[in-house]
């Protein structure tokens, strides 16, 4: 299975960093997160690296304003074929990462593309009818995923790619009685996107997004903020883990001060695990199928704060690794 590229306690990132120098950002993630460095997205360097702008770069009839909102003109045709472009302006973080990593390729790396539900939601908000917006968004997401996978295959052929679909729009399904797409259709659309690349795949659930849709879509890995975990999701999460799914625990907060020491963050993660264990989760799998990351992107932080968040994730990952090893020994694995 693709998820054999993973190992307990590996730390990674969600993507966005505050840097304006793409090569400095690439060097930082390779140094701070050596086991699973995360390709940086740099919206402070250019608005073209914002989530929607990067995903729709080069699509005729579409543009994105400074606030990240899609604009559609008469040239837009949702039936047109999608030709993804990896461009030096819109993908500076990605290209700098590949350039930097070629000197000493990491065993594995994590990249991300915008998910189909987030793209489809943005398109409907721009005035595209939902029946056209979401199928087109799914094609864009699949094409972008394959383009990133092909880039890694060509430039870093010995690096195992872990490709996440970023889905901040999942909050629309948890917090809205009238979501932009039926839940079953949304799950199928995300599942189809996850099947497009051959590599290990993941879903980033932002904030209070609908975790159950992400789990049901069948990724190898799901990432969410530990502070946003809802006990109502415990049954679905336990089934996902029992089925071999991995969790990238967003254990380093990005919405509040984090301090200098990992101990409070470690206690918070252990408390979540204890609660899930009480609700039926396998305590061994919780630890042996666990990655660690900041809760969300770090573009809104200073560069030193972003570095600290990644290093804290790495420290927590070391603790997860040690607990996973000890747990295996305790059960005779």
């Amino acid at each position: 299975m693709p998820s054999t590229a993973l190992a307990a306690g590996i730390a990674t990132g969600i993507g966005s960093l505050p840097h304006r120098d793409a090569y400095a950002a690439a060097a930082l993630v390779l140094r701070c997160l050596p086991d699973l460095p995360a390709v940086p997205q740099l919206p402070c360097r250019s608005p073209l690296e914002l989530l929607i702008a990067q995903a729709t770069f080069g699509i005729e009839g579409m543009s994105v304003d400074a606030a990240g909102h899609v604009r559609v003109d008469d040239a837009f045709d949702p039936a047109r074929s999608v030709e993804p472009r990896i461009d030096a302006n819109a993908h500076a973080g990605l290209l700098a990462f590949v350039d930097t990593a070629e000197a000493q390729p990491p065993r594995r790396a994590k990249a991300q593309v915008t998910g189909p539900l987030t793209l489809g939601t943005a398109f409907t908000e721009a005035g595209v009818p939902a029946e056209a917006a979401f199928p087109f968004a799914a094609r864009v997401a699949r094409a972008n995923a394959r383009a990133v996978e092909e880039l890694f295959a060509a430039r870093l052929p010995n690096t195992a790619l872990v490709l996440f679909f970023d889905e901040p729009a999942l909050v629309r399904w948890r917090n809205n009685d009238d979501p932009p797409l039926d839940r079953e259709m949304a799950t199928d659309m995300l599942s189809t996107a996850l099947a497009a690349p051959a590599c290990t795949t993941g879903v980033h659930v932002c904030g209070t997004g609908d975790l159950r849709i992400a789990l049901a879509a069948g990724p190898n890995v799901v990432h969410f903020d530990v502070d946003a975990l809802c006990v109502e999701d415990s049954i679905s999460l336990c089934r996902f883990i029992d089925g071999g799914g991995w969790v990238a625990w967003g254990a380093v907060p990005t919405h509040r001060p984090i301090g200098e020491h990992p101990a409070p963050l470690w206690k918070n993660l252990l408390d979540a695990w204890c609660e899930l264990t009480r609700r039926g989760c396998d305590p061994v799998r919780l630890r042996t199928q666990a990655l660690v990351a900041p809760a969300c992107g770090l573009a809104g932080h200073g560069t030193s704060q972003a570095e600290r968040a990644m290093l804290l994730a790495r420290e927590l990952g070391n603790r997860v690794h040690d607990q996973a090893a000890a747990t295996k020994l305790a059960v005779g694995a």
Side-chain angles (χ1 to χ4, degrees), residues 168-252:
L170 280 171
V171 296
R172 296 284 298 273
W173 276 263
R174 183 181 288 279
N175 301 330
N176 192 339
D177 292 333
D178 185 26
L181 192 68
D182 173 82
R183 289 180 62 86
E184 185 174 348
M185 292 178 65
T187 302
D188 288 345
M189 187 165 291
L190 181 54
S191 180
T192 301
L194 289 164
C199 61
T200 300
T201 57
V203 176
H204 165 49
V205 181
C206 201
T208 58
D210 196 313
L211 178 59
R212 279 173 284 183
I213 286 179
L215 295 170
N220 300 115
V221 192
V222 67
H223 169 273
F224 54 86
D225 182 351
V226 172
D227 288 342
L229 178 61
C230 179
V231 293
E232 296 174 357
D233 295 329
S234 58
I235 293 176
S236 297
L237 184 58
C238 293
R239 288 174 178 166
F240 175 76
I241 294 171
D242 285 345
W246 288 69
V247 177
W249 299 90
V252 181

Side-chain angles (χ1 to χ4, degrees), residues 117-330:
L117 303 181
T118 297
L119 281 175
T121 300
F123 295 164
T124 59
E125 291 173 349
V128 181
E131 60 271 19
F134 281 95
F136 183 71
R139 288 165 49 214
V140 172
R142 292 195 299 268
N144 287 338
R146 287 192 288 262
V148 172
E149 187 176 41
E150 289 168 4
L151 176 68
F152 270 80
R155 298 282 301 277
L156 297 170
N158 295 318
T159 296
L161 177 62
V162 181
L163 185 61
F164 271 62
F165 289 80
D166 283 1
E167 287 288 14
L170 280 171
V171 296
R172 296 284 298 273
W173 276 263
R174 183 181 288 279
N175 301 330
N176 192 339
D177 292 333
D178 185 26
L181 192 68
D182 173 82
R183 289 180 62 86
E184 185 174 348
M185 292 178 65
T187 302
D188 288 345
M189 187 165 291
L190 181 54
S191 180
T192 301
L194 289 164
C199 61
T200 300
T201 57
V203 176
H204 165 49
V205 181
C206 201
T208 58
D210 196 313
L211 178 59
R212 279 173 284 183
I213 286 179
L215 295 170
N220 300 115
V221 192
V222 67
H223 169 273
F224 54 86
D225 182 351
V226 172
D227 288 342
L229 178 61
C230 179
V231 293
E232 296 174 357
D233 295 329
S234 58
I235 293 176
S236 297
L237 184 58
C238 293
R239 288 174 178 166
F240 175 76
I241 294 171
D242 285 345
W246 288 69
V247 177
W249 299 90
V252 181
T254 53
H255 61 285
R256 60 177 172 83
I258 56 176
E260 293 296 319
H261 303 289
L265 306 180
W266 177 239
K267 180 181 181 302
N268 195 40
L269 180 57
L270 289 180
D271 287 346
W273 285 353
C274 288
E275 181 62 30
L276 288 168
T277 299
R278 282 194 290 270
R279 293 173 178 272
C281 278
D282 184 333
V284 176
R285 286 183 176 273
L286 277 171
R287 291 158 174 79
T288 57
Q289 293 163 212
L291 312 178
V292 180
C296 203
L298 296 165
H301 296 62
T303 54
S304 61
Q305 294 170 317
E307 179 177 0
R308 181 61 186 151
M310 289 188 283
L311 290 175
L312 279 170
R314 187 173 169 185
E315 290 184 53
L316 293 175
N318 290 337
R319 296 190 183 201
V320 171
H321 177 271
D322 291 344
Q323 274 221 352
T327 303
K328 282 185 175 182
L329 286 174

